[in-house]
Amino acid sequence: MASSSSVNLEDVPSESLMTELLRRMKCVTKPEKRLILIGPPGSGKGTQSPMIKDEYCLCHLATGDMLRAAVAAKTPLGVKAKEAMDKGELVSDELVVGIIDEAMKKPSCQKGFILDGFPRTVGQAQMLDEMLEKQGVKIDKVLDFAIDDSILEERITGRWIHPASGRSYHTKFAPPKVLGVDDVTGEPLIQRKDDTAAVLKSRLDAFHKQTEPVIDYYWKKGIVAKLHAEKSPKEVTEEVQKIGPNDHLMLVSSIDDE
């Protein structure tokens, strides 16, 4: 029986087919790239991620979304993850890395990926590197969204999300064209229930304790690009573009010492 999600290409408008064909032709010449975005909540990862994804023809791998998709699809790893979640347990690092391994094999990940929300600990980073090494690939760049804690509260409490695409907006810094509505689809935006000052403090404490050492881990490998994430989204985008597609050994050359 055909999947209910399958698409009959005859029913797809020619304009949509041509747009996708042109996108794929453009992507043929793009170099492979495997990126990790690291930064505290509100640092701008969600704003920059779709632009980086489109520019370099990458897939966006968010661990929460991948876990939910694996559970819904009832893959072997998804079944194991559901068993853990049903027991109220954390999904093991081994399972998460396995689900990332599965997701990387999708056609949309042919040119590489953006990892967002993983790794959160040095142990997870080491496990990820081991998995990639078995495939003969490695992380090319780690984008460090560096920002002072004091700037984040205003950002967090004004943030709105389009759940289907992951597009992020902010009532002050990056407002939608129509308040409460996604620019592209016209669908309503939501505000996450954990986007409060109290929850932010707890999440920042966890970030500093667990995830900042991950930046040091990759810094020693010479692949970290420090971004000044307190700047406007446009300025941060310009910093990302200045890194360049092949400057693997020069990522920090244009970053001022602070």
Side-chain angles (χ1 to χ4, degrees), residues 168-180:
S168 299
Y169 299 88
H170 193 281
T171 51
K172 178 177 179 180
F173 303 114
K177 295 174 183 175
V178 178
L179 187 64

Side-chain angles (χ1 to χ4, degrees), residues 51-94:
M51 291 183 278
I52 299 170
K53 170 182 174 289
D54 291 343
E55 174 65 24
Y56 296 110
C57 301
L58 308 176
C59 66
H60 179 247
L61 302 181
T63 48
D65 295 340
M66 285 187 294
L67 278 171
R68 286 186 286 272
V71 169
K74 297 182 179 178
T75 68
L77 291 174
V79 170
K80 290 182 180 179
K82 186 175 187 302
E83 288 174 356
M85 290 187 284
D86 287 346
K87 294 176 184 175
E89 299 172 353
L90 290 174
V91 178
S92 71
D93 292 345
E94 290 84 359

Side-chain angles (χ1 to χ4, degrees), residues 220-239:
K220 292 172 184 175
K221 293 176 179 286
I223 58 173
V224 173
K226 181 182 176 185
L227 303 174
H228 296 86
E230 79 283 355
K231 294 183 178 179
S232 70
K234 182 180 177 181
E235 290 174 305
V236 175
T237 299
E238 289 171 354
E239 284 197 10

Side-chain angles (χ1 to χ4, degrees), residues 36-39 63 90-94 96-97 100 115-130 142 205-218 221:
I36 295 174
L37 308 189
I38 297 181
T63 48
L90 290 174
V91 178
S92 71
D93 292 345
E94 290 84 359
V96 175
V97 170
I100 292 170
L115 258 179
D116 184 3
F118 191 92
R120 294 180 186 270
T121 68
V122 172
Q124 291 175 349
Q126 292 169 334
M127 200 174 296
L128 174 66
D129 284 350
E130 289 169 6
V142 175
D205 288 345
F207 175 81
H208 292 312
K209 181 178 179 181
Q210 294 184 335
T211 308
E212 277 188 347
V214 176
I215 299 172
D216 294 334
Y217 170 80
Y218 284 115
K221 293 176 179 286

